[in-house]
Amino acid sequence: MNIIKKIIGDKKEYRDQMARVDALPEDYRFVYYKIQNYMWSFSSGSGFDMLKTQYDLIDLFEDGAAHDRHVLEVTGEDVASFCDELMQGNKLWTDHFRKRLNRNVNKR
């Protein structure tokens, strides 16, 4: 029964966070969803660490919008590099490929 409560709580938290995104100015929403798509393209494992990163991004975007900053002032012009830095420490598929490459080369 505890697992069901956890799942329900996690879904509610996610919906609450996405409501925060929907309340952002349009340019922030657009960039958020582009970043979210990019991040999930590289996510590995359960993805729970990626959710924490997304929630931190929402905080950052809310702060930028509250201070009337353009979204690219927050992310910088190179949004992909911003994402890569944001995702440091998360489990990524590229980590799996790096390990496999090194393992296969070092076995030889």
Side-chain angles (χ1 to χ4, degrees), residues 36-108:
Q36 181 186 46
N37 185 49
Y38 179 85
M39 290 189 330
W40 281 106
S41 298
F42 295 100
S43 178
S44 178
S46 69
F48 283 113
D49 56 339
M50 197 64 73
L51 287 175
K52 169 72 172 110
T53 302
Q54 283 183 214
Y55 300 163
D56 291 344
L57 179 61
I58 296 168
D59 291 340
L60 184 65
F61 276 14
E62 285 177 332
D63 184 65
H67 289 94
D68 292 323
R69 296 176 65 199
H70 187 274
V71 67
L72 293 181
E73 289 179 63
V74 175
T75 63
E77 294 287 325
D78 188 349
V79 179
S81 290
F82 171 82
C83 290
D84 293 342
E85 286 183 37
L86 193 62
M87 292 187 305
Q88 284 184 350
N90 291 353
K91 293 178 185 173
L92 306 175
W93 280 112
T94 53
D95 298 336
H96 168 74
F97 295 129
R98 281 188 193 106
K99 287 177 186 176
R100 187 174 68 186
L101 173 62
N102 286 331
R103 183 182 63 239
N104 290 341
V105 169
N106 289 316
K107 276 184 176 179
R108 192 128 166 54

Side-chain angles (χ1 to χ4, degrees), residues 2-54:
N2 271 341
I3 190 90
I4 293 171
K5 287 181 181 179
K6 179 170 177 13
I7 291 170
I8 290 170
D10 290 345
K11 284 185 176 184
K12 182 185 180 325
E13 180 182 10
Y14 183 78
R15 281 192 306 272
D16 291 347
Q17 297 298 324
M18 292 305 99
R20 291 173 60 202
V21 172
D22 291 340
L24 290 169
E26 187 212 345
D27 56 337
Y28 276 89
R29 282 192 317 266
F30 174 80
V31 174
Y32 177 85
Y33 286 118
K34 292 297 183 181
I35 289 173
Q36 181 186 46
N37 185 49
Y38 179 85
M39 290 189 330
W40 281 106
S41 298
F42 295 100
S43 178
S44 178
S46 69
F48 283 113
D49 56 339
M50 197 64 73
L51 287 175
K52 169 72 172 110
T53 302
Q54 283 183 214

